[in-house]
Amino acid sequence: MFAVVTDSTAYLTKEQAINSNVTVIPMSYTIASAKFSEHYADGNADFLSAINARPAECKTSQPNATAYEAAFKRILDSNLDILVITISSRLSGSFNSAHLALNNTLDTTNQNQLQNKVLIFDSHMVAGGQKMLVDEAVRLSKLGVSINDAIIKLEQMKNNINVAFSVETMDALRRGGRIGAVKLSIGKLLNVRPILQLKEGAVIGDKTVRGEVNIIKELAVLVPKTAKKVILMCVGDTSTNKRISILKEHLIDLDAIVEYQNIGPILSIHLGDGAFGLAWI
């Protein structure tokens, strides 16, 4: 068996993390001068109203390397290998923080003992896509698959995961500089919205849709009939989000497992209120 570590943008609930024995490393964010840590998906209190009040004064930070380092030392003391699954390195420095932590751990530990015991995997994903990889890593560990074989299987799986979403405006993405190859002019007054996707770990998009119903239809059409699992995601409470409910109705004919995921403060800052989407495999 090996232990699984991920950062908070996989958006596991506390119960999910505990039941799966996954260590979640928090990212941090600031609103004006106040600093906060992003916790489990259900442990961030009412962050959205604070973000909406001062969107231009919100910033996010990658996990501190010392948090990864502390987790590594604790788990290694239990004589377990460690598989770290981070948010896409093209969206955050979490991957780099994990490597820095590993180097720091190597400096204080017998390097021969750590050879191939801590592996860091760039998911090229976020939120639902990242969670799918975390869930699979946990499953493989329980089956007794070696950490090296697990990496191979996750690499294959990563290529079959898709993430698509839409936002109310491009303002938040532009402020954060995470829009990659996206070149879209979105007119809120005209009710035009983008369809965005993750490709090779970056946000891309070349399509706009007019009307909320059409946005939902376009997202639903992207999911093939052969999909085995779908995670519906939104900024805000999934239990009251009408878009998520309608999107689920459009996917009702799929023979797939459907889950819901509340997006936390880190992605909410970069996507803005009203963002929603889905991940599938």
Side-chain angles (χ1 to χ4, degrees), residues 133-150:
L133 290 166
V134 170
D135 289 345
E136 179 64 7
V138 170
R139 189 186 74 85
L140 293 172
S141 176
K142 289 180 178 179
L143 288 175
V145 175
S146 73
I147 191 170
N148 289 296
D149 287 343

Side-chain angles (χ1 to χ4, degrees), residues 8 31 33 57 59 118 145 148 158 202 211 213 221 236:
S8 57
I31 302 176
S33 59
E57 298 178 67
K59 295 182 179 179
V118 181
V145 175
N148 289 296
K158 179 172 72 174
V213 173
V221 165

